[in-house]
Amino acid sequence: MPSAVTRRGAIAELMAGAAFLAAAATTPARLLADTPGGACLSDGTLTIDVDAAMHSRILKRAQPLTAMEPSDALRLDDQRIVDRFLLLDRTQEAVSDAHGAGRRHVLRGSAEGRIEKRLTVTFLDRYPGLALIETRYRNTGDAPLAIAGWRAATHDLLDHPDGAWTFAGASYPDRRDWVQPVKPGFQQRNFMGMNGSDYGGGTPVAVVWRRDAGLAVGHVETVPRLVALPVAAQPTGTRIGMAGDEAVLLAPGETLTLSTAFVMVHEGDHFHPLDVYRRLMAERGIAAPAIPEASYAPIWCAWGYERDFTTQQILATLPKAKSLGLEWAVLDDGWQASEGDWKVDRTKFPRGDADMKAFADRIKAAGMKPRLWLSPLAVDPGTDLLRDHPDMLLLDRDGAAQNISWWNSFTLCPAYPPVVDFFRGQVRRILADWGFEGLKLDGQHLNGVAPCYNPAHHHARPEESYEKLQDFWKALYDEAIAINPQAVIEICPCGDSFAFHNLPAMNNTPASDPESSWQVRSKGKTFKALMGPSAPFSGDHVELSDHHDDFASSYGVGAILSTKFTWPKDTDHPTDKLPPGGFVLTPARETLWRKWIALYRARMLPKGEYLGHLYDIGFDKPEAHAIAKDGRLHYAFFAERWDAPVSLRGLDPGRRYRLTDAFTGHPLGTAEGPVATLPVRFAHALLVEATPVEGTSAA
């Protein structure tokens, strides 16, 4: 927002008035020729028809996806909606910038004789079907203009007989699915700020799609913004758009500038829009870092023993983990005396720092790589840090601290330099002094924080805490890589929908406490779009999957295998969350674990190219995923039970393939590209490996 704008209250998560969000045009869809004074903006794939009132509709090529409707609106402080702007003029020009060549259209309109709307729509040659949209409102009257909220790029994707699905990148305390069907009554605000005391942030993109076409909306700012991306079922379709509830008082001549949005039409599920968003943001300077080889190594985590672990339990398990082919050993929560001070628990490590270094050395001597758990930004009541440095706390407008529910802790402000320096020091201690080779940065509060009003921080704006969280993580990442260029830095915001702006500060991403195998797979597909088709995504502890042993869901989406088994017996202090029989590696489990880990190490599918465009995770049945690696295609099909043909897509035209069940090694016949069908019968999962037959070539 321009600095000249006078603010009336802080940005907060306020529910927009029902009339504002529910307002929809009743004007029937019509051709531009029937709307005198309008404009037709198009790149040949995406067409935006604009009428004389600056209402618009979206077409994919010649196919209308929405009706003509008021996609943009202001809500004034008296709750009146301003959504009709007389189109005054339009200009266009060729442009070239970081995104390459394109064409920019500028439309100017006026409402009530006191509000000027300036809409800039830019099509990019390298991204057909997408438009960047900049919206500005200027007070052209002679009195202040009080704005209570706004919406932009809001459309209803028209109904299809088969229904619709949605992806939304917001975070909620109930840890809901990121990918969901849109059922009658569905409504999700998708606020990008805090939706709980310690759940917030996310990827600022929402997608809705039908079997034949979809619509995506998001913003492309290089810092997070406190906006919402609501998705809601409507009588005639599914609404999607962007909205804000910032109260703003515009003096005469002042301008309100909204976050730069994008609108995209597409086919298939959410993979393609997120993949395009990733590439756009990389051109703007926000991209995942280079991935070290060690990031793909399979993982054993000591969390099976939970906080009451003993060092003897962990050290005794290392030989078994090594023999299974696991390469990382993660020391999880419980090594510290408290969250905040991060002093070593002397009951487990009597010599403190010296014992932590010796412990890391023991893991290396066992032939594994040591990684250590840490929960930055959390501080417990009663700690020395909180007593000596209360100035580090993130405070709300009433002076209250932001709670972290899991540890009964408070949140420190990531935009306060002493906080950054403190945690850079922790990184140096763990990696340089103790010799750990990776960090597991963990906690649902890592994804987003509330605006900070602590007067000791002298923030220019309270939102700095939220916007500069990405800088905090990048500072820690840079510190780690300076110490060890091959260090693996994992951020695990438990259950949150990952904040895209934090991705440059991590080179390993877990499924982050999945609550089902569906979440493992849908999160995996999402990460392969947001980080790239060879993203180092971990399925997280397999014990969190369906039946506590579903390696197939991780393997099938190209995820790194991970487990937290105990051995030779279970923990002495079991919890109610244990699966039947606990986490102990029984002989039967060992046989299964060993087979999956050997298959993973032999194929290393995370390093392949995840082909997210081949299958629609919502509409294709059975659910299917495909990965290309070393000339082979690896398919994964999932259903409770299936007895019918499956489609093998992406094969080279004219080339024959030998088909094999990847898990059992049993032959399944042959197939010829580009698309083949295979009659199969399976329960839960089927993995098919397609190997080119020598002597055949693509047409």
Side-chain angles (χ1 to χ4, degrees):
M1 303 294 177
S3 59
V5 172
T6 302
R7 301 178 182 277
R8 299 183 61 197
I11 295 178
E13 186 199 357
L14 302 173
M15 291 301 294
F20 176 60
L21 282 180
T26 57
T27 306
R30 54 190 180 272
L31 296 176
L32 182 63
D34 297 327
T35 56
C40 181
L41 318 178
S42 182
D43 67 356
T45 300
L46 166 63
T47 296
I48 305 175
D49 277 351
V50 183
D51 69 10
M54 297 190 76
H55 294 177
S56 62
R57 69 167 181 163
I58 301 293
L59 297 89
K60 181 175 175 287
R61 297 187 175 90
Q63 177 189 15
L65 297 185
T66 76
M68 189 70 75
E69 52 200 348
S71 61
D72 306 323
L74 291 177
R75 186 177 79 249
L76 305 184
D77 67 347
D78 60 5
Q79 299 304 305
R80 287 190 304 114
I81 306 299
V82 180
D83 61 8
R84 297 182 67 85
F85 292 83
L86 176 64
L87 181 59
L88 301 175
D89 53 53
R90 167 200 172 189
T91 62
Q92 60 176 304
E93 62 178 345
V95 295
S96 182
D97 56 19
H99 304 305
R103 180 155 292 273
R104 177 178 298 143
H105 303 262
V106 180
L107 286 69
R108 190 171 63 92
S110 179
E112 301 187 353
R114 60 173 179 153
I115 308 173
E116 179 187 83
K117 174 182 175 181
R118 187 179 181 89
L119 187 69
T120 302
V121 179
T122 304
F123 295 99
L124 304 169
D125 292 354
R126 68 176 60 152
Y127 300 115
L130 178 141
L132 299 180
I133 300 177
E134 302 173 30
T135 307
R136 294 181 174 89
Y137 295 99
R138 185 166 67 93
N139 181 359
T140 57
D142 55 9
L145 178 67
I147 298 173
W150 53 267
R151 73 164 180 256
T154 300
H155 296 275
D156 290 359
L157 178 67
L158 297 174
D159 271 343
H160 185 280
D162 293 339
W165 283 72
T166 182
F167 161 84
S171 302
Y172 290 91
D174 62 10
R175 303 188 178 190
R176 64 192 61 176
D177 294 342
W178 301 356
V179 178
Q180 305 173 69
V182 179
K183 298 179 180 179
F186 180 90
Q187 184 171 343
Q188 191 163 295
R189 181 155 173 74
N190 298 321
F191 180 55
M192 289 292 110
M194 301 306 294
N195 293 306
S197 66
D198 47 359
Y199 285 86
T203 292
V205 178
V207 186
V208 294
W209 71 94
R210 313 181 312 205
R211 184 180 293 278
D212 62 333
L215 189 60
V217 174
H219 79 69
V220 293
E221 300 290 331
T222 56
V223 298
R225 297 297 188 196
L226 290 165
V227 301
L229 295 160
V231 172
Q234 299 294 309
T236 60
T238 304
R239 178 157 304 163
I240 184 173
M242 188 167 73
D245 290 320
E246 182 180 14
V248 174
L249 185 65
L250 285 183
E254 288 186 337
T255 298
L256 169 65
T257 301
L258 306 186
S259 298
T260 300
F262 74 87
V263 172
M264 180 180 174
V265 297
H266 65 97
E267 296 177 1
D269 59 26
H270 65 303
F271 181 86
H272 183 51
L274 291 185
D275 180 66
V276 169
Y277 172 73
R278 169 181 61 86
R279 288 182 279 143
L280 267 173
M281 295 304 289
E283 293 165 358
R284 290 179 169 238
I286 306 294
I291 307 302
E293 180 72 18
S295 191
Y296 295 105
I299 303 161
W300 175 74
C301 181
W303 185 237
Y305 294 112
E306 300 194 341
R307 290 173 174 162
D308 293 328
F309 71 83
T310 67
T311 57
Q312 291 76 17
Q313 286 174 321
I314 296 173
L315 294 173
T317 310
L318 294 179
K320 179 61 70 176
K322 173 66 176 176
S323 74
L324 291 176
L326 299 167
E327 299 179 46
W328 280 102
V330 183
L331 177 57
D332 212 289
D333 186 4
W335 63 267
Q336 75 285 2
S338 66
E339 290 77 43
D341 291 337
W342 300 110
K343 296 177 181 178
V344 177
D345 184 347
R346 297 280 180 152
T347 65
K348 297 174 181 175
F349 302 94
R351 297 184 302 151
D353 289 3
D355 274 350
M356 288 298 287
K357 183 180 186 307
F359 191 80
D361 289 342
R362 290 285 298 273
I363 293 174
K364 295 174 190 176
M368 300 186 74
K369 299 177 182 297
R371 192 184 307 184
L372 187 65
W373 178 93
L374 184 70
S375 186
L377 299 179
V379 59
D380 291 344
T383 54
D384 293 343
L385 183 71
L386 191 56
R387 181 197 65 212
D388 298 338
H389 298 284
D391 56 298
M392 289 185 175
L393 282 173
L394 187 150
L395 301 178
D396 67 15
R397 58 168 55 250
D398 297 320
Q402 180 179 333
N403 292 324
I404 301 173
S405 57
W406 183 262
W407 296 283
N408 191 27
S409 301
F410 299 133
T411 302
L412 303 176
C413 179
Y416 187 44
V419 173
V420 180
D421 292 341
F422 175 78
F423 282 103
R424 289 180 63 165
Q426 298 305 315
V427 171
R428 287 194 297 272
R429 183 170 66 138
I430 293 168
L431 298 186
D433 298 345
W434 296 348
F436 284 86
E437 298 178 7
L439 288 169
K440 176 182 179 178
L441 306 177
D442 188 56
Q444 66 271 15
H445 63 291
L446 307 185
N447 214 49
V449 298
C452 180
Y453 293 83
N454 192 326
H457 300 176
H458 304 292
H459 295 311
R461 299 161 45 251
E463 300 80 33
E464 281 189 343
S465 56
Y466 174 79
E467 295 170 355
K468 292 187 176 182
L469 178 61
Q470 61 182 353
D471 299 335
F472 172 83
W473 294 122
K474 190 62 164 59
L476 270 59
Y477 178 84
D478 289 346
E479 188 74 33
I481 297 304
I483 296 167
N484 178 1
Q486 299 303 309
V488 169
I489 309 302
E490 166 194 359
I491 297 182
C492 178
C494 311
D496 284 306
S497 184
F498 272 65
F500 178 83
H501 292 82
N502 296 341
L503 289 182
M506 63 184 82
N507 54 30
N508 188 277
T509 54
S512 189
D513 291 353
E515 296 189 336
S516 66
S517 291
W518 162 256
Q519 286 195 352
V520 172
R521 300 191 301 268
S522 57
K523 288 180 178 185
K525 182 162 197 174
T526 301
F527 274 117
K528 297 293 182 177
L530 290 176
M531 289 192 75
S534 301
F537 165 73
S538 163
D540 213 336
H541 310 140
V542 72
E543 291 81 3
L544 297 176
S545 66
D546 294 353
H547 308 296
H548 317 290
D549 62 359
D550 182 16
F551 282 109
S553 284
S554 289
Y555 181 90
V557 297
I560 301 157
L561 299 193
S562 172
T563 174
K564 59 176 180 179
F565 70 81
T566 61
W567 188 85
K569 66 185 185 70
D570 209 356
T571 174
D572 295 330
H573 304 283
T575 71
D576 294 336
K577 297 181 180 179
L578 291 177
F583 294 136
V584 66
L585 190 70
T586 63
R589 285 178 180 171
E590 179 175 346
T591 299
L592 186 63
W593 264 234
R594 191 176 296 279
K595 186 171 183 177
W596 276 112
I597 294 167
L599 181 63
Y600 173 84
R601 289 169 58 89
R603 297 294 184 263
M604 290 303 293
L605 294 189
K607 295 183 180 180
E609 180 186 3
Y610 179 83
L611 304 175
H613 61 286
L614 290 182
Y615 296 97
D616 184 322
I617 199 171
F619 288 104
D620 281 332
K621 303 299 177 190
E623 177 191 335
H625 304 266
I627 299 168
K629 186 172 187 290
D630 300 331
R632 301 180 182 183
L633 283 165
H634 302 263
Y635 297 93
F637 299 97
F638 298 92
E640 185 175 351
R641 292 194 177 277
W642 188 263
D643 186 359
V646 295
S647 175
L648 304 178
R649 303 171 186 169
L651 302 171
D652 288 340
R655 174 164 288 175
R656 291 181 62 245
Y657 292 82
R658 182 176 65 255
L659 306 179
T660 308
D661 183 314
F663 184 68
T664 66
H666 294 158
L668 297 174
T670 60
E672 184 172 323
V675 178
T677 57
L678 176 67
V680 296
R681 176 186 298 174
F682 67 89
H684 178 59
L686 173 68
L687 305 176
V688 178
E689 187 171 307
T691 304
V693 176
E694 294 295 331
T696 64
S697 60

